[in-house]
Amino acid sequence: MSQEKRPRGRPRKYETNAERKKAYRERKKAERIELEKRVVKLEKQLEKTDHEVASKKITSDPILSLTFNEIMKTDTEILQTYVTSLKKELGDSLSLYSPLSIIIENIIGSLEPIVSTRSLKISPNQIISLQVDKQIDEFEESLKQLTLLHIIELELGHRENDSIEDYELEILERRIDELEKEVVKKKEIKVSSKIITNER
């Protein structure tokens, strides 16, 4: 009896190349799904962190957390204090121009065509991209404040117009009242003069 020779090495896991390729594709697919799950999880963590940072900024300045409803319900005097506070915070940046020009102007001392290191507001050893990030943050803050300032001023403007309209309506109502009284008087005079002529 002849004994069957056993093949050398590890036994084959897959019978054919097609099976091996299929298993490889399935492994890669599973890896991809796992990686996508990790990406989603990390994105959610980042979103949460960003939200926490944003809400910390908002709570540090209560004006930034105002809603349209709150602005409309807030007393006029308080709104005027908000306007003063925002204008003080914004300083000279009450008008909004190109974000790029603001960022560049804040990093570079002058906007001359040839820029020497002497005109830079940052040291030559500082990382420019970090400075740009800082300027963008400051610009975004100004943009929020400026938007709120315009919305509050619009609301105050509407209130002023409403009070003018109310005053004008009041004048018209008084005039109508006076005219109605006058009409009644004239009718009474007319009626009394008819009675007098009839009696004669």
Side-chain angles (χ1 to χ4, degrees):
M1 277 188 155
S2 62
Q3 261 186 334
E4 269 187 44
K5 279 189 176 181
R6 290 178 75 191
R8 283 183 171 185
R10 200 171 53 184
R12 290 183 87 178
K13 197 173 179 181
Y14 306 104
E15 291 296 317
T16 63
N17 274 343
E19 277 182 27
R20 186 171 55 79
K21 285 178 181 174
K22 186 183 175 190
Y24 173 79
R25 281 195 302 272
E26 282 173 0
R27 259 196 329 273
K28 286 290 171 194
K29 190 178 175 183
E31 276 177 36
R32 184 180 173 172
I33 289 166
E34 193 55 43
L35 286 171
E36 283 172 353
K37 282 180 187 172
R38 282 181 65 193
V39 165
V40 168
K41 190 179 175 183
L42 286 167
E43 281 175 347
K44 280 182 181 173
Q45 281 178 346
L46 275 172
E47 241 175 71
K48 191 182 173 191
T49 310
D50 288 346
H51 182 70
E52 283 167 1
V53 168
S55 46
K56 272 181 190 171
K57 271 187 183 177
I58 284 169
T59 49
S60 68
D61 186 355
I63 297 174
L64 294 178
S65 64
L66 286 170
T67 63
F68 284 108
N69 261 343
E70 286 169 339
I71 288 169
M72 286 188 284
K73 288 176 185 174
T74 304
D75 185 62
T76 302
E77 282 179 29
I78 294 168
L79 285 183
Q80 282 165 339
T81 62
Y82 289 163
V83 167
T84 308
S85 170
L86 285 165
K87 281 184 177 176
K88 189 179 175 184
E89 197 74 35
L90 283 159
D92 297 331
S93 58
L94 283 175
S95 64
L96 207 60
Y97 34 96
S98 160
L100 181 62
S101 67
I102 291 173
I103 291 161
I104 295 294
E105 207 171 311
N106 285 338
I107 291 173
I108 299 167
S110 67
L111 294 171
E112 294 166 11
I114 298 161
V115 178
S116 68
T117 50
R118 285 185 209 135
S119 65
L120 288 175
K121 287 187 179 177
I122 58 171
S123 105
N125 300 325
Q126 283 180 311
I127 299 165
I128 294 166
S129 65
L130 292 177
Q131 290 300 312
V132 172
D133 285 346
K134 186 183 164 207
Q135 295 304 324
I136 288 170
D137 286 346
E138 284 176 19
F139 176 77
E140 283 178 356
E141 196 71 15
S142 296
L143 183 60
K144 287 174 197 171
Q145 291 168 339
L146 198 57
T147 306
L148 268 161
L149 175 65
H150 285 308
I151 289 166
I152 293 170
E153 283 182 330
L154 273 171
E155 176 60 24
L156 288 169
H158 284 306
R159 288 183 191 187
E160 205 173 285
N161 287 343
D162 288 348
S163 63
I164 290 166
E165 281 172 21
D166 289 347
Y167 179 68
E168 286 171 351
L169 283 171
E170 202 177 305
I171 290 169
L172 285 170
E173 282 168 2
R174 272 195 229 143
R175 183 73 184 128
I176 287 166
D177 196 42
E178 285 167 10
L179 288 167
E180 282 175 345
K181 282 176 183 173
E182 213 172 298
V183 166
V184 168
K185 266 187 185 177
K186 282 189 178 179
K187 276 184 181 176
E188 284 173 359
I189 291 167
K190 203 175 180 182
V191 167
S192 65
S193 65
K194 270 187 179 179
I195 291 170
I196 290 168
T197 52
N198 284 343
E199 284 175 355
R200 285 182 188 170

